[in-house]
């Protein structure tokens, strides 16, 4: 009797478990709602790499460069060479085109919205990891006493994981599908923090109104352009009363669409020799915490932000003799093609005037301004390309100019990174007077 009762209980338990896997109304088992990072496998066995030709077919549009990119229908693939794995890559994110609601909150085309350093590396089980790298606390000297201890205490976060879709035919590279990650609202390629979005009253991304515009590859960088639509929050009320602050008098909710650009720039294997910051000289600086230089083991290090100006090898002897020589790579500021033509000569003159200052450092023709080529002149040239520094003229009700720059944390180098000197000088009720230094001031009409 006991044995029969036990059999009945076991049968009842099996029925209960089976019913728990069925939706009300006799539907199929409930969908897996586990949250995963974009690019991660979704349930079931992990997909194994396929032959290269089955993934990157002859229909793919391919651009070779620092990372070879492939577009196949609505999919975007990165082909990462093994020699690129482990290299530091600077990511700079900007607004390419802004909408009226974003502009009302003082968000303009060219504004930087994020900056970080990433590193691709091979993980287990045919995966590629993307780490977010911080140089805020580290030891640059591998022979220092605290180097290994500090390394053990500062593991770099894995920001995303991607299944390897295929290996290259020579087995010297990996292909990963970047589509989901680029389409996602991630903090690597786009807004670096919720606060960065809040500044422009932007909320959650609306996926059905967002898409990838292009992924372009160049010798030292990759440019990703996406259109993103976000929910729009109401503007905060001004503490002084009146219209909401930053809302252009509207303060409405709804949605806002912007075009965003992410520049992925590979950094040199050997950083430029750094120069320490001295508070007696007016430089901008970047820094990190060093645990070896101070008797107590902790010291804040600040490095000067500066361009890498070096003489050409054949001119090194002349340079050391004190003769003026041209640098290997001059500093070039490109004038935004959207700049009103009447202001272009003044903006160029403001840059060219700095050439005399660089002659004191031994360089001639070290800094100059050029007009950006048109699409007809060079279809591959883009103002979003992180290799180009630019002067961007923005429509603003505030007469102001700013010069944000991106520098490498390891050395302070800003050469080859986006640097924008931005006159914000359109105001209907004023007459603008530009001076040679690319700033502007206004006089009442």
């Amino acid at each position: 009797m006991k044995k029969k009762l036990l059999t009945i209980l076991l049968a009842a338990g099996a029925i209960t478990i089976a019913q728990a896997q069925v939706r009300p109304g006799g539907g199929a088992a409930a969908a897996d709602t586990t949250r995963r990072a974009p690019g991660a496998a979704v349930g079931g066995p992990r997909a194994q790499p396929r032959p290269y030709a089955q993934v990157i077919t002859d229909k793919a549009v391919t651009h070779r460069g620092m990372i070879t990119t492939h577009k196949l229908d609505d999919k975007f693939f990165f082909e990462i060479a093994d020699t690129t794995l482990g290299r530091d890559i600077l990511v700079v994110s900007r607004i390419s085109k802004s909408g009226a609601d974003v502009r009302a909150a003082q968000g303009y085309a060219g504004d930087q919205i994020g900056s970080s350093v990433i590193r691709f590396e091979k993980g287990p089980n045919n995966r590629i990891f993307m780490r977010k790298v911080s140089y805020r606390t580290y030891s640059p000297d591998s022979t220092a006493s605290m180097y290994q201890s500090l390394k053990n205490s500062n593991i770099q976060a894995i920001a995303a994981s991607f299944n390897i879709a295929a290996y290259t035919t020579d087995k010297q590279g990996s292909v990963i599908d970047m589509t989901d990650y680029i389409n996602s609202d991630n903090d690597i390629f786009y807004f670096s923090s919720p606060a960065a979005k809040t500044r422009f009253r932007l909320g959650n991304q609306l996926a059905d109104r967002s898409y990838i515009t292009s992924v372009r590859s160049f010798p030292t960088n990759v440019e990703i352009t996406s259109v993103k639509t976000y929910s729009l929050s109401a503007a905060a009320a001004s503490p002084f009363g009146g219209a909401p602050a930053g809302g252009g008098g509207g303060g409405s909710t709804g949605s806002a669409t912007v075009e965003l650009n992410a520049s992925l720039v590979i950094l040199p294997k050997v950083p430029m020799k750094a120069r320490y910051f001295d508070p007696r000289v007016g430089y901008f600086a970047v820094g990190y915490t060093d645990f070896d230089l101070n008797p107590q083991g902790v010291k804040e290090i600040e490095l000067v932000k500066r361009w890498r100006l070096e003489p050409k090898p054949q001119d090194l002897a002349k340079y050391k003799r004190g003769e003026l020589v041209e640098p290997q790579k001059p500093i070039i500021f490109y004038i935004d093609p959207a700049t009103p033509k009447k202001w272009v000569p003044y903006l160029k003159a403001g840059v060219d005037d700095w050439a005399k200052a660089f002659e004191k450092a031994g360089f001639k023709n070290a800094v100059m301004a050029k007009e950006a080529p048109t699409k007809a002149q060079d279809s591959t040239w883009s103002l979003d390309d992180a290799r180009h520094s630019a002067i961007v003229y923005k429509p603003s009700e505030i007469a102001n100019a700013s010069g944000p720059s991106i520098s490498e944390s390891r050395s302070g180098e800003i050469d080859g990174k986006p640097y924008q000197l931005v006159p914000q000088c359109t105001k209907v009720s004023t007459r603008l007077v530009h001076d040679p230094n690319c700033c502007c001031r206004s006089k009442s009409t």
Side-chain angles (χ1 to χ4, degrees):
M1 183 66 182
K2 288 182 179 180
K3 184 176 181 180
K4 184 180 292 186
L5 180 60
L6 179 59
T7 302
I8 294 172
L9 289 173
L10 288 173
I15 293 171
T16 303
I17 293 172
Q19 288 178 339
Q21 296 178 359
V22 180
R23 291 176 181 165
D32 178 11
T33 58
T34 304
R35 297 188 65 181
R36 298 176 175 84
V42 181
R46 184 177 300 279
Q48 294 299 308
R50 293 187 292 154
Y52 183 86
Q54 292 183 16
V55 177
I56 307 301
T57 69
D58 55 6
K59 294 182 179 180
V61 179
T62 298
H63 296 281
R64 303 196 179 278
M66 182 262 287
I67 292 175
T68 296
T69 60
H70 306 279
K71 181 179 185 297
L72 189 60
D73 297 327
D74 60 348
K75 295 285 187 179
F76 293 86
F77 296 89
F78 275 10
E79 183 178 318
I80 306 174
D82 288 351
T83 53
T84 303
L85 296 176
R87 293 285 300 273
D88 285 352
I89 298 172
L90 175 67
V91 182
V92 182
S93 307
R94 296 179 300 275
I95 297 175
S96 292
K97 298 178 182 178
S98 65
D101 292 296
V102 176
R103 192 172 66 252
Q106 301 303 307
Y108 302 95
D111 281 358
Q112 180 188 330
I113 58 174
S115 175
S116 58
V117 175
I118 62 171
R119 192 182 294 155
F120 290 102
E121 63 182 44
K122 267 194 182 148
N125 303 319
N126 295 311
R127 287 179 297 176
I128 293 291
F129 289 154
M130 183 174 73
R131 290 189 186 270
K132 185 175 182 179
V133 182
S134 171
Y135 282 101
R136 184 64 190 90
T137 303
Y138 84 113
S139 177
D141 184 2
S142 60
T143 65
S145 59
M146 285 293 292
Y147 177 82
Q148 191 59 48
S149 177
L150 190 61
K151 187 177 179 180
N152 293 341
S153 299
N154 287 276
I155 188 171
Q156 307 294 351
I158 297 175
S161 172
F162 305 92
N163 292 334
I164 295 177
Y167 289 103
T168 56
T169 52
D170 61 1
K171 306 300 181 185
Q172 300 298 310
S174 307
V175 177
I176 58 176
D177 186 348
M178 293 292 294
T179 312
D180 288 346
Y181 192 79
I182 297 174
N183 272 323
S184 72
D185 188 17
N186 63 79
D187 62 358
I188 300 293
F189 291 167
Y190 306 115
F191 290 93
S192 60
S193 67
K197 291 169 62 178
T198 301
R199 171 189 168 194
F200 304 121
R201 299 174 49 211
L202 300 178
N204 296 325
Q205 177 183 315
L206 304 177
D208 61 329
R209 285 174 266 176
S210 303
Y211 57 93
I212 302 170
T213 303
S214 66
V215 179
R216 295 161 292 167
S217 189
F218 299 93
T220 60
N221 61 302
V222 174
E223 303 297 317
I224 299 171
T225 305
S226 299
V227 169
K228 299 283 187 181
T229 301
Y230 298 92
S231 59
L232 192 64
S233 62
S238 170
F240 305 104
S252 61
T253 58
S255 63
T257 299
V258 292
E259 183 178 277
L260 305 180
N261 172 259
S263 299
L264 283 65
V265 186
I266 195 163
L267 297 178
K269 290 182 179 180
V270 180
M272 177 185 72
K273 186 176 181 180
R275 179 175 295 171
Y276 292 115
F277 173 79
D278 189 315
R280 295 172 296 180
V281 184
Y283 281 98
F284 292 107
V286 294
Y288 62 91
T289 303
D290 195 294
F291 287 81
D292 281 299
L293 295 183
N294 185 287
Q296 299 297 321
V298 178
K299 185 176 181 179
E300 294 298 320
I301 302 299
E302 290 186 283
L303 307 175
V304 169
K305 282 183 166 186
R306 62 195 182 101
W307 300 89
R308 185 194 289 242
L309 283 179
E310 298 172 332
K312 299 173 183 176
Q314 64 270 27
D315 292 335
L316 185 58
K318 294 180 181 179
Y319 180 77
K320 289 182 176 180
R321 289 198 301 264
E323 298 180 31
L324 288 179
V325 299
E326 293 187 343
Q328 291 186 39
K329 186 177 180 182
I331 303 168
I332 301 175
F333 287 95
Y334 290 94
I335 309 297
D336 178 10
T339 302
K341 294 301 180 184
K342 61 180 178 180
W343 300 128
V344 171
Y346 300 98
L347 296 175
K348 291 180 66 176
V351 176
D352 293 341
D353 279 353
W354 279 96
K356 294 183 176 64
F358 284 91
E359 291 180 1
K360 298 292 184 180
F363 293 103
K364 61 181 179 181
N365 301 324
V367 60
M368 62 191 74
K370 294 183 178 181
E371 292 189 56
T374 63
K375 289 292 184 184
Q377 294 169 330
D378 187 352
S379 60
T380 65
W381 199 96
S382 171
L383 199 66
D384 292 328
D385 189 336
R387 295 175 298 172
H388 304 315
S389 301
I391 296 175
V392 181
Y393 193 97
K394 302 180 180 182
S396 171
E397 295 180 354
I398 301 172
N400 184 36
S402 61
S405 64
I406 301 297
S407 63
E408 185 184 337
S409 301
R410 303 175 302 173
S411 64
E413 181 184 356
I414 58 175
D415 179 72
K417 314 301 185 292
Y419 182 98
Q420 296 176 327
L421 181 62
V422 188
Q424 301 177 343
C425 308
T426 53
K427 192 172 183 180
V428 176
S429 61
T430 61
R431 177 165 59 88
L432 303 177
V433 181
H434 284 63
D435 65 25
N437 294 319
C438 296
C439 295
C440 55
R441 56 186 185 272
S442 60
K443 293 182 178 179
S444 299
T445 54

